Amino acid sequence: MKRIAVGSAAVRWGLGAAVCVLALAGVSSLTLHARQARTVADGVYSAAQAQRGAALYKAQCVACHGEKLEGLVGPMLAGPDFVTVWGGRPVAELVDKIQKTMPLQAPGSLSQEQSIDIAAYMLQVSNFKAGQGALGAGQLAQVTFPAARAAAAPAAGTVNVPPVANLAQYMRGVTFPNANIIFNTQLKDPGTMKPQNPVPFDYPLWGNTVYYGWQTTDQAALALIETTPLFLMPGRRCENGKPVPIQNADYQKFTQDLITLSREIYKTVQTRNQDAVAALSERLNDTCANCHKVYRDVGTAEGGGLGTDRCKS
Ligand code: HEC
Ligand code: HEC
């Protein structure tokens, strides 16, 4: 299977972290013997670094991550919850995350040195003390966050994987594309959709020549049935760092409503009746919106866009 190296933001957000981890794994295996593993609690950065980082943070990050790094439209960048999320991971991953993806509106604009300075400032705000020496690029892979508490052993027949995506990333990557396939029945009869000829040289488009027409619609309905329960997965955060409100009865009901409707959609898709599926897709839209009205489209930040009140319980 070839790796699909498309450059769209959505794809990059999905794959970026995994690719970084792979790259780092190679580096650390070469240098592990040379240096002893340390944690961020061992005085790994200098006060001067943190001071430079603070200035950069105030200029470029504060609007989204808050005066105290407590999180606004982006997640918190300091404190116990932040340290838990990063538990056991090397600082190199954090520096990469900053350098390659932040600030959100201008990713790639910071140098590695600047990204390290900001990481040092973040460590300082989390009460990890400064040391004598500066944190250098060559040490990033060996310095880790203190290990998080081990998760409980999984019950038989289950897998125990912590969520990686925030809820917005999950919606964009999983729920949205599948729902759009269902919504498309309002415009097109899947029964008349045939693969393009010649076959387009673009993996997503090529994929549509392998599974197409009503089969795509079957798959989308099945995917919504199977993946919507993950809205209730423990440990997932929203984009602003707040935990997904899985304990709230209305949030649980909105999730259940989507599963129930997706089952009905799947049954109707089996009739291959475009009008019937299109009618249900209107209800699909409402089912998404019912939850969004309460938990997503609330308290948007100045200038619109991401909401600081999202996912409030
Ligand atoms: C326009 C808003 C915005 C700005 C400005 C911004 N961020 Fe972010 N940041 C976000 C959002 C939204 C996320 C969550 C999505 C993601 O992880 O990519 C995020 C995630 C992060 C994360 C991942 C945190 C975690 O625990 O997963 C780090 C680290 C981070 N930002 C650092 C920075 C730094 C450093 C700056 C300034 C150089 C910055 N951000 C500027 C919006 C912003
Ligand atoms: C149980 C509640 C719930 C249901 C049902 C739900 N969503 Fe969401 N959705 C959310 C929340 C909350 C967010 C914001 C998450 C965040 O900020 O991390 C969100 C975010 C999104 C986003 C990302 C918006 C952005 O900021 O870029 C998309 C796209 C999306 N949802 C699509 C859908 C579609 C399509 C459906 C129905 C098929 C759906 N959602 C059903 C709660 C829900």
Side-chain angles (χ1 to χ4, degrees):
M1 204 47 205
K2 273 194 176 171
R3 185 190 297 280
I4 301 174
V6 269
S8 94
V11 172
R12 263 189 286 124
W13 280 24
L15 295 177
V19 172
C20 295
V21 173
L22 288 181
L24 291 166
V27 175
S28 61
S29 62
L30 289 176
T31 50
L32 205 67
H33 300 291
R35 292 174 186 281
Q36 273 226 302
R38 291 191 295 166
T39 82
V40 292
D42 298 329
V44 292
Y45 66 91
S46 72
Q49 269 183 320
Q51 202 178 349
R52 288 196 301 270
L56 285 165
Y57 181 85
K58 297 225 157 67
Q60 299 196 41
C61 324
V62 73
C64 293
H65 291 284
E67 283 289 337
K68 301 193 175 80
L69 286 64
E70 74 278 18
L72 286 175
V73 300
M76 78 288 285
L77 297 181
D81 288 346
F82 175 79
V83 175
T84 302
V85 170
W86 284 85
R89 293 158 72 183
V91 176
E93 261 184 57
L94 177 62
V95 170
D96 259 355
K97 172 81 195 169
I98 296 170
Q99 193 189 348
K100 309 240 167 82
T101 76
M102 293 289 143
L104 200 61
Q105 72 287 5
S109 58
L110 292 164
S111 68
Q112 189 187 37
E113 200 185 342
Q114 288 173 315
S115 304
I116 296 174
D117 289 349
I118 298 174
Y121 173 60
M122 289 164 59
L123 294 176
Q124 187 181 52
V125 178
S126 283
N127 285 328
F128 295 112
K129 299 271 173 294
Q132 295 309 314
L135 180 58
Q139 303 161 337
L140 297 175
Q142 284 76 51
V143 179
T144 61
F145 282 86
R149 260 184 306 123
T158 62
V159 282
N160 193 10
V161 283
V164 182
N166 66 43
L167 187 63
Q169 289 168 329
Y170 186 84
M171 294 266 166
R172 291 176 200 139
V174 178
T175 313
F176 188 52
N178 284 306
N180 285 340
I181 291 172
I182 308 286
F183 292 139
N184 225 20
T185 59
Q186 296 174 15
L187 307 171
K188 289 181 177 168
D189 179 356
T192 65
M193 287 155 70
K194 294 277 178 298
Q196 278 183 44
N197 205 4
V199 173
F201 195 76
D202 171 300
Y203 283 107
L205 291 178
W206 164 80
N208 293 338
T209 69
V210 181
Y211 314 105
Y212 59 92
W214 280 109
Q215 194 183 5
T216 316
T217 324
D218 288 339
Q219 288 155 194
L222 289 169
L224 286 175
I225 297 168
E226 295 272 1
T227 60
T228 300
L230 292 179
F231 291 8
L232 296 170
M233 193 175 188
R236 194 186 306 282
R237 297 182 301 160
C238 289
E239 198 160 39
N240 58 16
K242 292 197 177 74
V244 176
I246 56 173
Q247 73 290 345
N248 290 9
D250 60 347
Y251 182 86
Q252 291 171 6
K253 181 178 178 300
F254 294 140
T255 303
Q256 186 57 59
D257 288 349
L258 178 54
I259 298 168
T260 307
L261 180 66
S262 300
R263 286 183 185 283
E264 204 180 326
I265 290 173
Y266 180 64
K267 253 171 68 186
T268 309
V269 168
Q270 302 312 292
T271 69
R272 302 316 198 217
N273 178 331
Q274 182 196 2
D275 290 341
V277 178
L280 274 182
S281 77
E282 299 281 358
R283 273 175 58 200
L284 180 62
N285 191 45
D286 295 342
T287 308
C288 308
N290 287 343
C291 188
H292 288 163
K293 265 180 244 159
V294 181
Y295 289 107
R296 189 188 78 172
D297 306 330
V298 284
T300 50
E302 261 178 74
L306 302 159
T308 52
D309 284 347
R310 278 185 173 185
C311 301
K312 258 199 182 152
S313 18

